Amino acid sequence: MNRIDCEVVQDLFPSYIEKLTSEKTNAVIEEHLNGCEKCSKVLASMRGDPIGDINISPEDKQEIDFLKKNRKRNRWILFGSIAAALLLIIVVIALRIFAVGTKNDLNWTATNLNVVDNELDFTAVPIESGNAVASLEYAEDNGVVTLKARTVLASLFHKGPLNGSYTASETIKEVRIGSRIIWSDGATVSTLASDFFATRHDYVGDMPANIRTANALNLGSFLGAFTNELETAEEPYGWKIILSEEIPAEKLSQKEQDMDAFGRVIVGLIGNLDHVTFIYQSEGAEKTRTITAEGASTFFGEDIKNCGRNVRSLDELIEKTGLAL
């Protein structure tokens, strides 16, 4: 290790000064410097350190000048590499934001939707201002067409909405954005109906599924906190919703209308549910209000259970109950 050539050590000086060499290499260089006055002078001169009255031969001076130039060249290479890497990162980010974008079913919607047989036309519109729809994709399965869009920040390349059209291999029965149904049976479907319809289930005994339905209806925001009891020991099956907060007399009429509306939707969405009973307090007395499947069907004008089979029927029920307001 002590016999390492001066030329080799001096070649390492530019990196050594910039602290780019490893600890093991540093140890080798420093061990060599302890016994080599010439290399010590070269290193001191390259660093710009004062070297006193020590004379430097023309050959050494030429070598020092060369190493200084090499050090500058290495520094520029290092700076250039860093700049190139930063530029590449900026380009990748810019492409991601302005060209590639992201797929998200919640950040765009379809307007001017028109379906005729197997032909579909619409306008894809970004939800957030400043965004644009860059591209559209289509998937088809047994008459159900699912739309996917890639959104980006608006730019000269993509400025906002994007017109889309698709020719299906068979008559289109339903159009979706992700899991959200936006068109069915010849008409558009409201967001509320699609969200409610996604929570439909067959058995009221499945309480987590019941809670998903209640949450989709935003029951707690309208009626306040509540607890649950199931009547599933024998048919007809029921669900008791027990409200925790007393209802002021001046709000009772509106709250009871809300109970009727929610109850009709609930019995429509849960296959084997016969009735929903709301239990609540008002003016110091306990009250009950029961909505049956039979009564809901009479109100709706058709079998209320159709709302759990067909999203268009559910949309009509929502409109009729006033929940769409």
Side-chain angles (χ1 to χ4, degrees), residues 10 37-39 41-42 45 51 53-65:
Q10 291 174 15
E37 183 180 5
K38 174 183 176 182
C39 287
K41 290 191 295 181
V42 171
S45 178
I51 56 176
D53 297 330
I54 300 175
N55 294 323
I56 300 176
S57 67
E59 293 80 7
D60 288 344
K61 188 176 184 308
Q62 185 177 2
E63 180 69 16
I64 291 171
D65 290 342

Side-chain angles (χ1 to χ4, degrees), residues 147-323:
L147 312 178
K148 296 182 180 181
R150 192 175 289 278
T151 57
V152 296
L153 284 181
S155 67
L156 293 175
F157 305 102
H158 305 290
K159 297 184 178 180
L162 181 67
N163 292 326
S165 62
Y166 179 72
T167 300
S169 60
E170 57 184 297
T171 300
I172 298 173
K173 303 174 185 175
E174 191 172 279
V175 180
R176 299 183 179 188
I177 296 176
S179 61
R180 179 161 48 96
I181 303 170
I182 62 172
W183 184 93
S184 179
D185 283 348
T188 56
V189 174
S190 71
T191 300
L192 277 180
S194 180
D195 290 345
F196 296 170
F197 193 69
T199 71
R200 69 195 187 281
H201 54 286
D202 293 329
Y203 305 106
V204 69
D206 185 352
M207 184 51 74
N210 296 341
I211 296 301
R212 284 194 293 272
T213 298
N215 289 341
L217 292 169
N218 207 10
L219 201 65
S221 295
F222 285 89
L223 300 179
F226 60 90
T227 56
N228 304 278
E229 287 184 13
L230 295 180
E231 300 172 302
T232 55
E234 59 183 5
E235 293 187 295
Y237 298 139
W239 177 8
K240 289 182 179 179
I241 297 176
I242 306 164
L243 305 185
S244 304
E245 303 170 6
E246 181 163 343
I247 301 175
E250 64 273 14
K251 294 184 178 181
L252 183 59
S253 177
Q254 181 59 57
K255 294 294 184 182
E256 289 178 338
Q257 290 179 40
D258 291 341
M259 293 177 205
D260 290 346
F262 289 129
R264 289 163 181 154
V265 173
I266 288 170
V267 295
L269 289 175
I270 302 176
N272 70 341
L273 178 61
D274 176 76
H275 58 274
V276 174
T277 298
F278 291 93
I279 301 175
Y280 53 100
Q281 300 285 331
S282 183
E283 297 183 292
E286 182 177 280
K287 299 177 181 293
T288 63
R289 195 170 188 86
T290 298
I291 297 89
T292 66
E294 181 180 359
S297 296
T298 300
F299 168 85
F300 187 37
E302 63 177 90
D303 184 0
I304 198 68
K305 297 301 181 180
N306 288 339
C307 296
R309 306 182 191 109
N310 186 296
V311 71
R312 283 292 302 125
S313 293
L314 178 59
D315 217 346
E316 291 170 11
L317 175 63
I318 291 170
E319 186 71 28
K320 196 166 185 178
T321 58
L323 287 176

Side-chain angles (χ1 to χ4, degrees), residues 117-119 140-143 145 166-172:
D117 295 329
N118 66 333
E119 298 288 338
E140 181 183 344
D141 181 22
N142 195 29
V145 177
Y166 179 72
T167 300
S169 60
E170 57 184 297
T171 300
I172 298 173

Side-chain angles (χ1 to χ4, degrees), residues 107-113 121-127 131-138 147-151 159-165 177 182:
N107 59 15
W108 71 280
T109 189
T111 63
N112 304 320
L113 190 67
D121 294 287
F122 66 99
T123 302
V125 180
I127 298 297
N131 283 359
V133 178
S135 63
L136 294 165
E137 296 178 12
Y138 308 88
L147 312 178
K148 296 182 180 181
R150 192 175 289 278
T151 57
K159 297 184 178 180
L162 181 67
N163 292 326
S165 62
I177 296 176
I182 62 172

Side-chain angles (χ1 to χ4, degrees), residues 11-32:
D11 284 343
L12 293 171
F13 280 170
S15 297
Y16 177 72
I17 294 171
E18 299 295 338
K19 298 182 179 179
L20 300 177
T21 48
S22 67
E23 292 184 4
K24 186 175 290 188
T25 302
N26 292 343
V28 171
I29 293 172
E30 288 159 7
E31 185 174 357
H32 179 89

